[in-house]
C-alpha cells in the first residue's frame, strides 16, 4: 500500500513543460491567471497548468475539475486533484489507524475502501481507452523523474538546446521534492 500511495503522490506532481517556440497563441484561462502561469496552447487537457505542488496542495477549482475529468473532459489538474484527495484521505486514515494501533487487516481494508471511493470513478470513466489524445504529429515526449534534483533546470535547457527540432519536444517532469515544516524546500 505505501508504494501505491507514493506513486499516487508522485503522479500528482506531474508538471508539463514545453518548448518556448509555439505555433499557436495560447488561449487565456481564468485558473491560469489565478496561478500566474502562461497557458499552454496544446490542448484543453493541459489547462489549467499545475503549479509545483507540495503534497496535499489545494488546486484552484479542484472539485469542479475532478468532476469534469470523471465526466469525460479530463485535465491534468483534475486528475491531480483526484489523486491528492485520495492521498490525503489515505494519510488521515493511516494517522487514525496508527493512533488506534490497528491490526494489519483493518489497515488493508481501509486502503481498499479509500481506493474504491476515490480512484474507481476515474478508472471506470476511462477503462480501456486513453485519457488524453495520442499525438500523431512527430512530436517527441520525454518523461523525467527528478528526485530532489537541483540540476533539473539545466537538464531541461540541455534537452531543448540539443534537440534538432525543439518545437517538437514535450517534457513531462515528475518533480519529487520535500518541503520542511518552515516551507523551505529541502
Amino acid at each position: 500500500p505505501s508504494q501505491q500511495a507514493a506513486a499516487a503522490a508522485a503522479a500528482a506532481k506531474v508538471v508539463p513543460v514545453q518548448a518556448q517556440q509555439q505555433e499557436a497563441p495560447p488561449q487565456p484561462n481564468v485558473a491560469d491567471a489565478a496561478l500566474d502561469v502562461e497557458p499552454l496552447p496544446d490542448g484543453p487537457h493541459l489547462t489549467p497548468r499545475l503549479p509545483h505542488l507540495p503534497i496535499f496542495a489545494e488546486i484552484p477549482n479542484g472539485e469542479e475539475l475532478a468532476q469534469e475529468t470523471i465526466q469525460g473532459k479530463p485535465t491534468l489538474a483534475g486528475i491531480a486533484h483526484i489523486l491528492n484527495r485520495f492521498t490525503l484521505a489515505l494519510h488521515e486514515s493511516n494517522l487514525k489507524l496508527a493512533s488506534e494501533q490497528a491490526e494489519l487487516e483493518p489497515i488493508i481494508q481501509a486502503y481498499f475502501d479509500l481506493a474504491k471511493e476515490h480512484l474507481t470513478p476515474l478508472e471506470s470513466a476511462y477503462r480501456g481507452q486513453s485519457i488524453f489524445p495520442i499525438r500523431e504529429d512527430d512530436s517527441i515526449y520525454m518523461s523525467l523523474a527528478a528526485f530532489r534534483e537541483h540540476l533539473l533546470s539545466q537538464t531541461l535547457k540541455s534537452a531543448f538546446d540539443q534537440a534538432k527540432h525543439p518545437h517538437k519536444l514535450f517534457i513531462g517532469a515528475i518533480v519529487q521534492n520535500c518541503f520542511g515544516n518552515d516551507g523551505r524546500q529541502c
Side-chain angles (χ1 to χ4, degrees), residues 43-85:
H45 62 284
L46 295 177
T47 305
R49 276 183 31 199
L50 290 172
H52 295 273
L53 296 177
I55 190 78
F56 313 135
E58 186 174 329
I59 296 173
N61 303 323
E63 286 299 320
E64 180 182 337
L65 293 168
Q67 283 297 26
E68 289 174 358
T69 294
I70 301 284
Q71 294 168 356
K73 296 182 191 172
T75 60
L76 289 175
I79 292 170
H81 184 75
I82 292 166
L83 294 174
N84 264 356
R85 274 192 322 208

Side-chain angles (χ1 to χ4, degrees), residues 1-184:
S2 62
Q3 288 178 336
Q4 290 171 341
K13 298 174 196 284
V14 173
V15 181
V17 180
Q18 180 178 349
Q20 292 179 1
Q21 298 173 341
Q22 304 193 6
E23 296 174 15
Q27 299 297 314
N29 181 284
V30 175
D32 280 345
L35 294 173
D36 195 29
V37 295
E38 292 294 317
L40 297 174
D42 252 345
H45 62 284
L46 295 177
T47 305
R49 276 183 31 199
L50 290 172
H52 295 273
L53 296 177
I55 190 78
F56 313 135
E58 186 174 329
I59 296 173
N61 303 323
E63 286 299 320
E64 180 182 337
L65 293 168
Q67 283 297 26
E68 289 174 358
T69 294
I70 301 284
Q71 294 168 356
K73 296 182 191 172
T75 60
L76 289 175
I79 292 170
H81 184 75
I82 292 166
L83 294 174
N84 264 356
R85 274 192 322 208
F86 168 69
T87 307
L88 179 59
L90 182 62
H91 176 71
E92 290 170 350
S93 173
N94 286 344
L95 287 175
K96 180 179 179 281
L97 291 167
S99 72
E100 298 169 355
Q101 297 182 344
E103 296 293 321
L104 182 60
E105 200 60 38
I107 295 170
I108 292 171
Q109 188 60 52
Y111 174 83
F112 282 105
D113 291 345
L114 290 170
K116 184 176 180 180
E117 176 186 347
H118 293 279
L119 303 179
T120 298
L122 181 63
E123 167 64 20
S124 297
Y126 296 98
R127 182 174 290 130
Q129 62 182 332
S130 176
I131 294 177
F132 300 117
I134 297 173
R135 299 179 68 106
E136 295 183 17
D137 60 359
D138 295 327
S139 61
I140 301 166
Y141 177 76
M142 185 170 101
S143 179
L144 286 186
F147 181 70
R148 298 183 185 176
E149 180 57 67
H150 66 284
L151 299 175
L152 179 59
S153 62
Q154 293 169 5
T155 300
L156 295 173
K157 182 178 181 328
S158 175
F160 287 108
D161 287 348
Q162 294 181 41
K164 186 174 182 178
H165 301 285
H167 63 282
K168 293 183 178 182
L169 181 60
F170 295 83
I171 299 175
I174 299 175
V175 181
Q176 303 172 66
N177 294 328
C178 70
F179 296 88
N181 290 336
D182 59 1
R184 290 186 301 171

